[in-house]
């Protein structure tokens, strides 16, 4: 199950605030994986990462998937993204710009400003019983 792969990827996160994992799957079943990681060695404590309550030193799991796809020449057009937590506004903008139109996520994550960048996308919350169905839908 692909969501299980995203959950496993989250275990590689070195963020102290939230462990997030993601898997991007394109039409040719090519995959990229991501977990949120510190972008800087100064982020060893949450108080050094956050500015106004927002982490500014972490590369998000979704962005890692997109960057890896670009570096490896993997198409993201109409790909599916499985992510452990609902994407932040910045990630949603990048995901949409990359041509991904369907996102599956497992956990809510409250954002402190409106997250209304999902126009034209299908975003589906999956529960434990839905994880099996999410691996087949839309692929």
């Amino acid at each position: 199950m692909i969501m299980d792969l995203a959950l496993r990827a989250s275990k590689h996160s070195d963020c102290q605030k939230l462990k997030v994992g993601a898997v991007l799957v394109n039409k040719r079943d090519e995959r990229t994986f991501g977990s949120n990681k510190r972008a800087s060695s100064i982020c060893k404590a949450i108080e050094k990462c956050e500015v106004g309550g927002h982490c500014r030193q972490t590369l998000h799991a979704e962005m890692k998937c997109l960057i890896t796809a670009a570096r490896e020449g993997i198409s993201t057009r109409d790909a599916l993204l499985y992510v452990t937590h609902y994407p932040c506004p910045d990630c949603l903008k990048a995901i949409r710009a990359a041509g991904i139109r369907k996102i599956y996520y497992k956990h809510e994550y409250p954002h402190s400003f409106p997250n209304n960048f999902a126009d034209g996308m299908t975003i589906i919350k999956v529960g434990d019983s839905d994880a099996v169905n999410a691996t087949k839908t839309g692929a």
Side-chain angles (χ1 to χ4, degrees):
M1 294 180 276
I2 297 172
M3 185 59 77
D4 287 338
L5 296 175
L7 291 165
R8 270 192 254 152
S10 72
K11 294 181 186 335
H12 297 282
S13 168
D14 62 7
C15 180
Q16 295 179 28
K17 185 174 181 179
L18 184 66
K19 307 267 186 216
V20 179
V23 179
L24 183 145
V25 183
N26 72 8
K27 290 181 178 183
R28 295 185 354 209
D29 202 33
E30 297 171 307
R31 300 175 184 192
T32 63
F33 300 85
S35 60
N36 54 336
K37 299 271 189 175
R38 294 179 296 206
S40 168
S41 61
I42 66 167
C43 185
K44 296 194 190 289
I46 290 175
E47 60 272 4
K48 291 184 180 177
C49 292
E50 292 189 351
V51 176
H54 302 283
C55 183
R56 295 294 178 209
Q57 294 292 328
T58 300
L59 179 63
H60 290 190
E62 304 93 324
M63 296 299 269
K64 176 71 170 143
C65 283
L66 295 177
I67 291 166
T68 301
R71 188 177 57 240
E72 301 295 326
I74 295 172
S75 175
T76 59
R77 182 181 303 273
D78 297 322
L80 304 177
L81 183 69
Y82 297 80
V83 63
T84 57
H85 293 76
Y86 193 92
C88 75
D90 289 337
C91 285
L92 267 179
K93 289 185 282 185
I95 292 164
R96 186 173 170 200
I100 296 167
R101 298 290 177 251
K102 190 176 280 189
I103 300 170
Y104 295 96
Y105 75 99
K106 188 163 181 64
H107 303 290
E108 297 289 341
Y109 184 77
H111 298 283
S112 58
F113 53 95
N115 195 354
N116 54 0
F117 299 103
D119 289 345
M121 298 174 72
T122 302
I123 302 178
I124 301 168
K125 182 174 183 178
V126 295
D128 292 329
S129 62
D130 299 324
V132 173
N133 295 331
T135 62
K136 303 270 187 217
T137 305

